[in-house]
Amino acid sequence: MQRKKECVAMLLAGGQGSRLYALTNNIAKPAVPFGAKYRIIDFPLSNCVNSGIDTVGVLTQYQPLVLNEYIGNGQPWDLDRNFGGVHVLSPYQKKAKSAWYEGTANAIYQNLNFIKMYNPEYVLILSGDHIYKMDYSKMLKAHIDNEADCTIAAIEVPLKEASRFGILNTNPDGSIYEFEEKPKHPKSTLASMGVYIFTAEKMYKYLEEDDDDPNSSKDFGKNILPAMLNAGEKMFAYRFEGYWKDVGTISSLWEANMDLLGDKPAFDVADSSWKIHSRNPLAPPEYCGENAVVKNSMIALGCEICGTVENSVLSSNVVIEEGAVIKDSVIMSGTVVKRNAVVRYSILDEDVRVGENAVIGEDKETAKGIAVLGRNVCVGSKAKVAAGAMIDKDIKEGEEVL
Amino acid sequence: MSAVGIIFSNIHDENVPELSSQRTMGSIPYGGRYRLIDFALSNLVNSGVTTVGIITKNNYQSLMDHLGSGKDWDLARKTGGLVLLPPFGAKDNEGLYKNRLEALKSITGFLSRRNEDYAILCDCDGVYRMDFSDIIDYHEEKQADITLVCHTEEIANSSKYTLVQSDETGRVTEIQLDETVSGTHKYYSNILIINRLFLIRLIADAVAHGYKSCRRDILQRNLKTLKIYAYDFKGYHATIDSFGSYYMHNMELLNKSVRDELFGARDIYTKVRDSAPSKYGDECVVKNSLVSDGCIVEGRVENSILFRGVRVGKDAVIKNSIIMQDAVVGDNVNLNCVITDKNVVIRNNRVLSGCEIRPYFLAKGTVI
């Protein structure tokens, strides 16, 4: 008997995430740290494992080093398997037509051999830039019950945001009669989450046809889904209710981090019934000093806090010295904020140094935007970084940057 | 460096009976997210040791659960790695081993199948960070038969220490056992280095003579005939010899200098639990305290250590206390000098207090 998997997941992780500016200068978007100890990719990977899907191909292209290192052999997600497990799939040279991944559909097309190794009945397509907890096995059951060829996970979004998404117009039974990619005048508010389940044979067919079409932009949303709909394939929307956030922009990344805070957080990562697995930092417990003030914050292991931290999310091994104030900010691992520096409404990437008495950003209420300091940036003492600034170079002592 | 590590996980169980009644000395929780064995094990791994045998005797379920395959210490290996050495019920054994010599005899098979030059023997009563390759260099330089790692510190009225005196070259001249002592002394930290093949010979010889005590019959008896040297370890070394010292040494972790020395290089490994990061509420006050992952703190915590997954309710006050894994401390509870073992629940409005030399203890799973 040939060994097979019922469902193989393919995770699109090649995007540059250019709207995250300095945060993705050197790393792919799915590797961006989130929620004090996680990276964005932990969420789809944990969802897969918790849904019983143990074969995941991760398609990488842009700056894959950190992501590759992070995924490793998949052991933190229990995805180091003899048959299946997590595999990083980068573009590779072929006898003819060697190419980078040209679009989401092309990326999958180039790895059809990987999928076929497992001879699956269904293929789950995921993207690596969303924060959510979702049981894919329920969606797969709906797909099977509907005898669908393609099922698209969908969520209600506010009308004014609907034009940012792919909008699904459905019949009362959930079947899709129209698909509009980023419509100017959306007819409904049911947005595609970028999570698709295909019946494998159908997907192979449409990907192969699409590859032969020189005018296609080789994208699921723009080409594959409309082609299937026009051909009259059975396509269903699967309504997802719960927290789902696209963290593709600075402000949405900041908001998603803030959604973790509070007594009853909008998004709970501590939910023991749906554990989010991750590669864990090697660090002792965090230490709060004599004069530390910590309010409504999430703090990871290894931090040393001697100053004030309010409404903020701190990753591992962050040092906040005496007199420093952190408010409404996201601080990633290894960053040091020196004495009496003030950081408000900002995102500080990994290993940033903020000098004594430096001022980063301003109060959330008055700021015109979130200040962002990229990886390894050093800010000299008494320097000032204005609200909304995007910084990826060192700032000298006393300098003011708008 | 080629050395095999041997860890005795059970030897000092009687030191802290409160915490070891249901577990080995090695699996006693320590410092917010560690177990005592993590220190010996991490030091071995960081010194380049890739094979570690762990001798167990009884109550070692918690230890096995903690260690798993050894992957968290990078010891899940095809060659060597972590090797659990449970009691070996051979024909000529009379059941469970009763002393260190019998324990060593039961692992001679393991020792003779290895090919490393040296064996590093450690117990689980110490909290320290040490590079064993320095000690092996010393051992080779002195051409010693046995090197004992020693530490000089104040001892408070205890008979559990092995006092060591050495001459100016470092050679051990006198070993005192089982004497109740106080004051500052040099003592053996229960870590020794020995040539592996020589160890096997010593064990066979001791068994043939019917010897019972490693310290008395091998070390003390052979001071003249064997070259036994003392290596003075100058760094931070905490010896857990009683419940009181367990409390005191845990509290020392609130000093930055101790923390920096022990954890500065971030290389003490432990079992990974995938807890969420800890959350601090709007009304919480946390001062001079260590907090582990997965905690939810809404009350006041001062001079205390919270292990993983502890919940501190509103208006609760925890001072000078050690609260272990998954405890629930209710609203308006007041604790001072309390140590709670795992999974303790303290209901709303309770007031509990011990004192520094005798902390109040709540056993595993207590609901009060």
mmCIF file of all heavy atoms in Angstrom, chain A residues 37 75 260 262 275 277-278 280 282-284 286-290 294-297 299 304 317, chain B residues 31 33-34 71 259 266 269 272-275 278-282 284 287-291:
data_model
loop_
_atom_site.group_PDB
_atom_site.id
_atom_site.type_symbol
_atom_site.label_atom_id
_atom_site.label_comp_id
_atom_site.label_asym_id
_atom_site.label_seq_id
_atom_site.Cartn_x
_atom_site.Cartn_y
_atom_site.Cartn_z
ATOM 1 N N LYS A 37 7.041 36.296 22.556
ATOM 2 C CA LYS A 37 7.938 35.164 22.353
ATOM 3 C C LYS A 37 7.702 34.446 21.040
ATOM 4 O O LYS A 37 8.377 33.468 20.744
ATOM 5 C CB LYS A 37 7.844 34.186 23.525
ATOM 6 C CG LYS A 37 6.547 33.410 23.552
ATOM 7 C CD LYS A 37 6.560 32.346 24.628
ATOM 8 C CE LYS A 37 7.252 31.093 24.176
ATOM 9 N NZ LYS A 37 6.859 29.926 24.967
ATOM 10 N N GLN A 75 11.066 20.612 15.171
ATOM 11 C CA GLN A 75 10.844 19.958 16.463
ATOM 12 C C GLN A 75 9.973 20.780 17.429
ATOM 13 O O GLN A 75 9.120 20.209 18.091
ATOM 14 C CB GLN A 75 12.216 19.618 17.067
ATOM 15 C CG GLN A 75 12.168 18.908 18.388
ATOM 16 C CD GLN A 75 12.271 19.890 19.529
ATOM 17 O OE1 GLN A 75 13.063 20.832 19.470
ATOM 18 N NE2 GLN A 75 11.463 19.695 20.539
ATOM 19 N N LEU A 260 -3.261 41.430 22.762
ATOM 20 C CA LEU A 260 -2.919 40.355 23.698
ATOM 21 C C LEU A 260 -3.072 40.802 25.144
ATOM 22 O O LEU A 260 -3.082 39.988 26.057
ATOM 23 C CB LEU A 260 -1.459 39.926 23.493
ATOM 24 C CG LEU A 260 -1.075 39.483 22.089
ATOM 25 C CD1 LEU A 260 0.426 39.315 21.988
ATOM 26 C CD2 LEU A 260 -1.774 38.184 21.753
ATOM 27 N N GLY A 262 -4.580 42.893 28.632
ATOM 28 C CA GLY A 262 -5.843 43.060 29.333
ATOM 29 C C GLY A 262 -6.328 41.774 29.976
ATOM 30 O O GLY A 262 -5.841 40.684 29.677
ATOM 31 N N LYS A 275 -2.729 25.406 22.116
ATOM 32 C CA LYS A 275 -1.402 25.919 22.451
ATOM 33 C C LYS A 275 -0.695 26.470 21.220
ATOM 34 O O LYS A 275 -0.754 25.872 20.154
ATOM 35 C CB LYS A 275 -0.557 24.797 23.057
ATOM 36 C CG LYS A 275 -0.191 25.095 24.489
ATOM 37 C CD LYS A 275 0.782 24.090 25.044
ATOM 38 C CE LYS A 275 1.068 24.494 26.492
ATOM 39 N NZ LYS A 275 2.016 23.659 27.158
ATOM 40 N N HIS A 277 2.741 26.842 19.748
ATOM 41 C CA HIS A 277 4.092 26.326 19.961
ATOM 42 C C HIS A 277 5.101 27.270 19.325
ATOM 43 O O HIS A 277 4.807 27.923 18.328
ATOM 44 C CB HIS A 277 4.224 24.935 19.342
ATOM 45 C CG HIS A 277 3.197 23.979 19.858
ATOM 46 N ND1 HIS A 277 3.304 23.374 21.088
ATOM 47 C CD2 HIS A 277 2.024 23.556 19.330
ATOM 48 C CE1 HIS A 277 2.243 22.604 21.281
ATOM 49 N NE2 HIS A 277 1.447 22.704 20.234
ATOM 50 N N SER A 278 6.285 27.305 19.872
ATOM 51 C CA SER A 278 7.311 28.167 19.304
ATOM 52 C C SER A 278 8.674 27.667 19.740
ATOM 53 O O SER A 278 8.779 26.837 20.637
ATOM 54 C CB SER A 278 7.127 29.609 19.778
ATOM 55 O OG SER A 278 7.411 29.691 21.154
ATOM 56 N N ASN A 280 11.660 28.241 21.869
ATOM 57 C CA ASN A 280 11.691 29.023 23.103
ATOM 58 C C ASN A 280 13.023 29.707 23.321
ATOM 59 O O ASN A 280 14.065 29.146 23.012
ATOM 60 C CB ASN A 280 11.378 28.114 24.293
ATOM 61 C CG ASN A 280 9.900 27.795 24.370
ATOM 62 O OD1 ASN A 280 9.171 28.368 25.164
ATOM 63 N ND2 ASN A 280 9.439 26.908 23.505
ATOM 64 N N LEU A 282 16.260 30.955 25.307
ATOM 65 C CA LEU A 282 17.020 30.373 26.403
ATOM 66 C C LEU A 282 17.275 31.502 27.384
ATOM 67 O O LEU A 282 18.094 32.369 27.124
ATOM 68 C CB LEU A 282 18.328 29.867 25.808
ATOM 69 C CG LEU A 282 19.076 28.792 26.556
ATOM 70 C CD1 LEU A 282 18.191 27.585 26.728
ATOM 71 C CD2 LEU A 282 20.307 28.417 25.765
ATOM 72 N N ALA A 283 16.558 31.538 28.468
ATOM 73 C CA ALA A 283 16.726 32.666 29.373
ATOM 74 C C ALA A 283 16.152 32.331 30.740
ATOM 75 O O ALA A 283 15.222 31.542 30.855
ATOM 76 C CB ALA A 283 16.023 33.903 28.807
ATOM 77 N N PRO A 284 16.705 32.950 31.782
ATOM 78 C CA PRO A 284 16.142 32.782 33.119
ATOM 79 C C PRO A 284 14.825 33.541 33.237
ATOM 80 O O PRO A 284 14.451 34.270 32.316
ATOM 81 C CB PRO A 284 17.217 33.396 34.019
ATOM 82 C CG PRO A 284 17.945 34.363 33.163
ATOM 83 C CD PRO A 284 17.882 33.822 31.776
ATOM 84 N N GLU A 286 12.176 36.480 34.101
ATOM 85 C CA GLU A 286 12.412 37.921 34.039
ATOM 86 C C GLU A 286 12.515 38.476 35.459
ATOM 87 O O GLU A 286 11.929 37.935 36.388
ATOM 88 C CB GLU A 286 11.310 38.642 33.256
ATOM 89 C CG GLU A 286 9.924 38.603 33.865
ATOM 90 C CD GLU A 286 9.036 37.556 33.204
ATOM 91 O OE1 GLU A 286 9.584 36.596 32.618
ATOM 92 O OE2 GLU A 286 7.807 37.690 33.281
ATOM 93 N N TYR A 287 13.258 39.578 35.592
ATOM 94 C CA TYR A 287 13.485 40.188 36.889
ATOM 95 C C TYR A 287 12.913 41.598 36.903
ATOM 96 O O TYR A 287 13.167 42.379 35.991
ATOM 97 C CB TYR A 287 14.986 40.241 37.194
ATOM 98 C CG TYR A 287 15.303 40.993 38.463
ATOM 99 C CD1 TYR A 287 15.104 40.389 39.704
ATOM 100 C CD2 TYR A 287 15.776 42.297 38.425
ATOM 101 C CE1 TYR A 287 15.370 41.078 40.878
ATOM 102 C CE2 TYR A 287 16.048 42.987 39.594
ATOM 103 C CZ TYR A 287 15.841 42.378 40.819
ATOM 104 O OH TYR A 287 16.095 43.063 41.981
ATOM 105 N N CYS A 288 12.111 41.897 37.919
ATOM 106 C CA CYS A 288 11.618 43.262 38.099
ATOM 107 C C CYS A 288 12.327 43.855 39.308
ATOM 108 O O CYS A 288 12.293 43.281 40.392
ATOM 109 C CB CYS A 288 10.114 43.286 38.351
ATOM 110 S SG CYS A 288 9.172 42.673 36.966
ATOM 111 N N GLY A 289 12.973 44.974 39.138
ATOM 112 C CA GLY A 289 13.786 45.563 40.197
ATOM 113 C C GLY A 289 12.990 46.327 41.241
ATOM 114 O O GLY A 289 11.765 46.416 41.172
ATOM 115 N N GLU A 290 13.718 46.889 42.230
ATOM 116 C CA GLU A 290 13.101 47.618 43.358
ATOM 117 C C GLU A 290 12.170 48.728 42.889
ATOM 118 O O GLU A 290 11.140 48.971 43.466
ATOM 119 C CB GLU A 290 14.191 48.256 44.223
ATOM 120 C CG GLU A 290 14.838 47.376 45.275
ATOM 121 C CD GLU A 290 13.873 46.730 46.254
ATOM 122 O OE1 GLU A 290 12.750 47.224 46.437
ATOM 123 O OE2 GLU A 290 14.258 45.690 46.826
ATOM 124 N N VAL A 294 5.354 48.038 36.494
ATOM 125 C CA VAL A 294 4.892 47.303 35.313
ATOM 126 C C VAL A 294 3.372 47.268 35.351
ATOM 127 O O VAL A 294 2.786 46.797 36.330
ATOM 128 C CB VAL A 294 5.449 45.869 35.284
ATOM 129 C CG1 VAL A 294 5.017 45.167 34.013
ATOM 130 C CG2 VAL A 294 6.960 45.873 35.390
ATOM 131 N N LYS A 295 2.742 47.790 34.323
ATOM 132 C CA LYS A 295 1.280 47.801 34.285
ATOM 133 C C LYS A 295 0.793 47.287 32.942
ATOM 134 O O LYS A 295 1.311 47.690 31.897
ATOM 135 C CB LYS A 295 0.743 49.235 34.458
ATOM 136 C CG LYS A 295 1.201 49.932 35.700
ATOM 137 C CD LYS A 295 0.074 50.045 36.707
ATOM 138 C CE LYS A 295 0.558 50.713 37.980
ATOM 139 N NZ LYS A 295 0.509 49.853 39.153
ATOM 140 N N ASN A 296 -0.216 46.464 32.989
ATOM 141 C CA ASN A 296 -0.905 45.984 31.797
ATOM 142 C C ASN A 296 0.064 45.666 30.653
ATOM 143 O O ASN A 296 -0.008 46.256 29.584
ATOM 144 C CB ASN A 296 -1.933 47.032 31.335
ATOM 145 C CG ASN A 296 -2.807 46.487 30.230
ATOM 146 O OD1 ASN A 296 -3.151 45.305 30.244
ATOM 147 N ND2 ASN A 296 -3.151 47.324 29.274
ATOM 148 N N SER A 297 0.955 44.734 30.903
ATOM 149 C CA SER A 297 1.966 44.425 29.905
ATOM 150 C C SER A 297 2.202 42.933 29.826
ATOM 151 O O SER A 297 1.811 42.178 30.715
ATOM 152 C CB SER A 297 3.290 45.120 30.254
ATOM 153 O OG SER A 297 3.144 46.509 30.154
ATOM 154 N N ILE A 299 5.374 40.270 29.260
ATOM 155 C CA ILE A 299 6.833 40.305 29.341
ATOM 156 C C ILE A 299 7.382 38.888 29.240
ATOM 157 O O ILE A 299 6.900 37.974 29.911
ATOM 158 C CB ILE A 299 7.268 40.985 30.656
ATOM 159 C CG1 ILE A 299 6.830 42.451 30.598
ATOM 160 C CG2 ILE A 299 8.770 40.875 30.856
ATOM 161 C CD1 ILE A 299 7.086 43.226 31.824
ATOM 162 N N GLU A 304 15.148 42.310 32.121
ATOM 163 C CA GLU A 304 15.557 42.949 33.379
ATOM 164 C C GLU A 304 14.886 44.308 33.377
ATOM 165 O O GLU A 304 15.231 45.171 32.566
ATOM 166 C CB GLU A 304 17.075 43.150 33.435
ATOM 167 C CG GLU A 304 17.875 41.879 33.470
ATOM 168 C CD GLU A 304 18.303 41.473 34.889
ATOM 169 O OE1 GLU A 304 18.106 42.253 35.851
ATOM 170 O OE2 GLU A 304 18.827 40.358 35.018
ATOM 171 N N ASN A 317 14.832 38.839 26.982
ATOM 172 C CA ASN A 317 16.150 39.452 27.193
ATOM 173 C C ASN A 317 16.198 40.955 26.887
ATOM 174 O O ASN A 317 17.222 41.467 26.457
ATOM 175 C CB ASN A 317 17.226 38.722 26.374
ATOM 176 C CG ASN A 317 17.301 37.255 26.749
ATOM 177 O OD1 ASN A 317 17.054 36.900 27.896
ATOM 178 N ND2 ASN A 317 17.610 36.410 25.797
ATOM 179 N N GLY B 31 14.825 28.120 41.198
ATOM 180 C CA GLY B 31 15.106 29.357 40.460
ATOM 181 C C GLY B 31 14.064 29.736 39.424
ATOM 182 O O GLY B 31 14.397 30.327 38.417
ATOM 183 N N ARG B 33 12.376 28.382 37.010
ATOM 184 C CA ARG B 33 11.992 27.513 35.897
ATOM 185 C C ARG B 33 12.950 26.350 35.702
ATOM 186 O O ARG B 33 12.930 25.701 34.681
ATOM 187 C CB ARG B 33 11.852 28.315 34.595
ATOM 188 C CG ARG B 33 13.102 28.981 34.094
ATOM 189 C CD ARG B 33 12.786 29.890 32.931
ATOM 190 N NE ARG B 33 12.227 29.195 31.803
ATOM 191 C CZ ARG B 33 12.916 28.822 30.721
ATOM 192 N NH1 ARG B 33 14.204 29.061 30.643
ATOM 193 N NH2 ARG B 33 12.327 28.224 29.724
ATOM 194 N N TYR B 34 13.795 26.091 36.675
ATOM 195 C CA TYR B 34 14.778 25.019 36.518
ATOM 196 C C TYR B 34 14.504 23.880 37.482
ATOM 197 O O TYR B 34 13.657 23.975 38.365
ATOM 198 C CB TYR B 34 16.187 25.580 36.756
ATOM 199 C CG TYR B 34 16.499 26.719 35.820
ATOM 200 C CD1 TYR B 34 16.321 28.050 36.202
ATOM 201 C CD2 TYR B 34 16.910 26.468 34.519
ATOM 202 C CE1 TYR B 34 16.564 29.090 35.320
ATOM 203 C CE2 TYR B 34 17.159 27.504 33.634
ATOM 204 C CZ TYR B 34 16.977 28.811 34.042
ATOM 205 O OH TYR B 34 17.209 29.827 33.160
ATOM 206 N N LYS B 71 16.574 16.187 24.483
ATOM 207 C CA LYS B 71 16.758 17.131 23.372
ATOM 208 C C LYS B 71 16.915 18.580 23.847
ATOM 209 O O LYS B 71 17.616 19.353 23.218
ATOM 210 C CB LYS B 71 15.633 17.004 22.347
ATOM 211 C CG LYS B 71 14.266 17.408 22.846
ATOM 212 C CD LYS B 71 13.258 17.321 21.712
ATOM 213 C CE LYS B 71 11.843 17.048 22.152
ATOM 214 N NZ LYS B 71 11.296 17.838 23.249
ATOM 215 N N ARG B 259 22.844 36.367 39.540
ATOM 216 C CA ARG B 259 22.117 36.029 38.314
ATOM 217 C C ARG B 259 23.035 36.115 37.096
ATOM 218 O O ARG B 259 23.034 35.244 36.244
ATOM 219 C CB ARG B 259 20.948 36.985 38.139
ATOM 220 C CG ARG B 259 19.636 36.315 38.258
ATOM 221 C CD ARG B 259 18.431 37.190 38.048
ATOM 222 N NE ARG B 259 18.619 38.554 37.699
ATOM 223 C CZ ARG B 259 18.500 39.576 38.545
ATOM 224 N NH1 ARG B 259 18.219 39.356 39.807
ATOM 225 N NH2 ARG B 259 18.649 40.806 38.138
ATOM 226 N N ARG B 266 23.460 32.782 29.361
ATOM 227 C CA ARG B 266 22.192 32.198 28.895
ATOM 228 C C ARG B 266 22.360 30.749 28.468
ATOM 229 O O ARG B 266 21.907 30.372 27.390
ATOM 230 C CB ARG B 266 21.636 32.986 27.707
ATOM 231 C CG ARG B 266 21.591 34.474 27.920
ATOM 232 C CD ARG B 266 20.206 34.915 28.335
ATOM 233 N NE ARG B 266 20.138 36.351 28.459
ATOM 234 C CZ ARG B 266 19.806 36.979 29.601
ATOM 235 N NH1 ARG B 266 19.534 36.301 30.677
ATOM 236 N NH2 ARG B 266 19.732 38.274 29.629
ATOM 237 N N TYR B 269 20.175 25.125 30.496
ATOM 238 C CA TYR B 269 19.045 24.598 29.735
ATOM 239 C C TYR B 269 18.029 23.952 30.673
ATOM 240 O O TYR B 269 18.375 23.486 31.748
ATOM 241 C CB TYR B 269 19.534 23.550 28.722
ATOM 242 C CG TYR B 269 20.741 23.993 27.947
ATOM 243 C CD1 TYR B 269 21.991 23.453 28.204
ATOM 244 C CD2 TYR B 269 20.631 24.987 26.979
ATOM 245 C CE1 TYR B 269 23.107 23.882 27.508
ATOM 246 C CE2 TYR B 269 21.745 25.426 26.283
ATOM 247 C CZ TYR B 269 22.977 24.864 26.547
ATOM 248 O OH TYR B 269 24.081 25.300 25.870
ATOM 249 N N VAL B 272 11.467 22.552 28.032
ATOM 250 C CA VAL B 272 10.664 23.613 27.442
ATOM 251 C C VAL B 272 9.190 23.261 27.585
ATOM 252 O O VAL B 272 8.794 22.132 27.377
ATOM 253 C CB VAL B 272 11.058 23.764 25.959
ATOM 254 C CG1 VAL B 272 9.995 24.480 25.192
ATOM 255 C CG2 VAL B 272 12.378 24.480 25.850
ATOM 256 N N ARG B 273 8.391 24.245 28.019
ATOM 257 C CA ARG B 273 6.989 23.940 28.267
ATOM 258 C C ARG B 273 6.039 24.677 27.342
ATOM 259 O O ARG B 273 4.820 24.498 27.412
ATOM 260 C CB ARG B 273 6.665 24.284 29.724
ATOM 261 C CG ARG B 273 5.655 23.356 30.356
ATOM 262 C CD ARG B 273 5.464 23.652 31.821
ATOM 263 N NE ARG B 273 4.617 24.813 32.029
ATOM 264 C CZ ARG B 273 3.650 24.863 32.932
ATOM 265 N NH1 ARG B 273 3.404 23.844 33.702
ATOM 266 N NH2 ARG B 273 2.936 25.952 33.080
ATOM 267 N N ASP B 274 6.548 25.544 26.487
ATOM 268 C CA ASP B 274 5.692 26.319 25.591
ATOM 269 C C ASP B 274 4.623 27.120 26.323
ATOM 270 O O ASP B 274 3.480 27.214 25.872
ATOM 271 C CB ASP B 274 5.006 25.404 24.555
ATOM 272 C CG ASP B 274 5.870 25.231 23.311
ATOM 273 O OD1 ASP B 274 6.941 25.856 23.243
ATOM 274 O OD2 ASP B 274 5.476 24.483 22.406
ATOM 275 N N SER B 275 4.971 27.688 27.471
ATOM 276 C CA SER B 275 4.014 28.566 28.146
ATOM 277 C C SER B 275 3.961 29.895 27.407
ATOM 278 O O SER B 275 4.940 30.299 26.776
ATOM 279 C CB SER B 275 4.445 28.864 29.580
ATOM 280 O OG SER B 275 4.903 27.722 30.216
ATOM 281 N N SER B 278 4.472 35.908 30.425
ATOM 282 C CA SER B 278 3.671 36.274 31.586
ATOM 283 C C SER B 278 2.989 37.617 31.371
ATOM 284 O O SER B 278 3.466 38.462 30.615
ATOM 285 C CB SER B 278 4.536 36.307 32.841
ATOM 286 O OG SER B 278 5.724 36.978 32.563
ATOM 287 N N LYS B 279 1.860 37.777 32.048
ATOM 288 C CA LYS B 279 1.085 39.001 31.900
ATOM 289 C C LYS B 279 0.968 39.720 33.226
ATOM 290 O O LYS B 279 0.770 39.109 34.268
ATOM 291 C CB LYS B 279 -0.307 38.681 31.358
ATOM 292 C CG LYS B 279 -0.292 38.504 29.855
ATOM 293 C CD LYS B 279 -1.647 38.075 29.352
ATOM 294 C CE LYS B 279 -2.584 39.257 29.237
ATOM 295 N NZ LYS B 279 -3.813 38.846 28.524
ATOM 296 N N TYR B 280 1.099 41.025 33.154
ATOM 297 C CA TYR B 280 1.043 41.869 34.344
ATOM 298 C C TYR B 280 -0.208 42.733 34.240
ATOM 299 O O TYR B 280 -0.427 43.392 33.230
ATOM 300 C CB TYR B 280 2.286 42.766 34.401
ATOM 301 C CG TYR B 280 3.578 42.012 34.594
ATOM 302 C CD1 TYR B 280 4.107 41.230 33.568
ATOM 303 C CD2 TYR B 280 4.259 42.059 35.803
ATOM 304 C CE1 TYR B 280 5.276 40.531 33.746
ATOM 305 C CE2 TYR B 280 5.444 41.359 35.980
ATOM 306 C CZ TYR B 280 5.953 40.598 34.955
ATOM 307 O OH TYR B 280 7.119 39.905 35.132
ATOM 308 N N GLY B 281 -1.018 42.721 35.294
ATOM 309 C CA GLY B 281 -2.291 43.444 35.260
ATOM 310 C C GLY B 281 -2.126 44.925 35.534
ATOM 311 O O GLY B 281 -1.036 45.423 35.811
ATOM 312 N N ASP B 282 -3.265 45.632 35.486
ATOM 313 C CA ASP B 282 -3.271 47.077 35.661
ATOM 314 C C ASP B 282 -2.882 47.503 37.069
ATOM 315 O O ASP B 282 -2.320 48.568 37.267
ATOM 316 C CB ASP B 282 -4.678 47.614 35.368
ATOM 317 C CG ASP B 282 -4.757 48.126 33.948
ATOM 318 O OD1 ASP B 282 -3.716 48.595 33.465
ATOM 319 O OD2 ASP B 282 -5.839 48.059 33.349
ATOM 320 N N CYS B 284 -1.039 45.685 39.296
ATOM 321 C CA CYS B 284 0.001 44.883 39.928
ATOM 322 C C CYS B 284 1.201 45.722 40.335
ATOM 323 O O CYS B 284 1.476 46.776 39.770
ATOM 324 C CB CYS B 284 0.434 43.747 39.024
ATOM 325 S SG CYS B 284 1.619 44.233 37.784
ATOM 326 N N LYS B 287 8.154 43.960 42.667
ATOM 327 C CA LYS B 287 9.433 44.573 43.057
ATOM 328 C C LYS B 287 10.432 43.491 43.428
ATOM 329 O O LYS B 287 10.103 42.557 44.155
ATOM 330 C CB LYS B 287 9.215 45.494 44.257
ATOM 331 C CG LYS B 287 8.359 46.697 43.904
ATOM 332 C CD LYS B 287 8.618 47.852 44.833
ATOM 333 C CE LYS B 287 7.735 49.030 44.482
ATOM 334 N NZ LYS B 287 8.031 49.596 43.174
ATOM 335 N N ASN B 288 11.659 43.664 42.976
ATOM 336 C CA ASN B 288 12.760 42.766 43.302
ATOM 337 C C ASN B 288 12.327 41.306 43.272
ATOM 338 O O ASN B 288 12.498 40.574 44.240
ATOM 339 C CB ASN B 288 13.321 43.141 44.687
ATOM 340 C CG ASN B 288 14.618 42.418 44.965
ATOM 341 O OD1 ASN B 288 15.423 42.194 44.048
ATOM 342 N ND2 ASN B 288 14.826 42.017 46.209
ATOM 343 N N SER B 289 11.779 40.884 42.164
ATOM 344 C CA SER B 289 11.267 39.521 42.078
ATOM 345 C C SER B 289 11.571 38.916 40.716
ATOM 346 O O SER B 289 11.783 39.639 39.744
ATOM 347 C CB SER B 289 9.749 39.513 42.280
ATOM 348 O OG SER B 289 9.435 39.911 43.583
ATOM 349 N N LEU B 290 11.607 37.585 40.701
ATOM 350 C CA LEU B 290 11.755 36.854 39.444
ATOM 351 C C LEU B 290 10.409 36.266 39.068
ATOM 352 O O LEU B 290 9.722 35.690 39.916
ATOM 353 C CB LEU B 290 12.775 35.728 39.602
ATOM 354 C CG LEU B 290 14.245 36.154 39.665
ATOM 355 C CD1 LEU B 290 15.096 35.000 40.155
ATOM 356 C CD2 LEU B 290 14.723 36.638 38.308
ATOM 357 N N VAL B 291 10.034 36.420 37.821
ATOM 358 C CA VAL B 291 8.746 35.922 37.360
ATOM 359 C C VAL B 291 8.984 35.070 36.117
ATOM 360 O O VAL B 291 9.645 35.508 35.179
ATOM 361 C CB VAL B 291 7.792 37.090 37.019
ATOM 362 C CG1 VAL B 291 6.448 36.564 36.557
ATOM 363 C CG2 VAL B 291 7.624 38.012 38.216
#
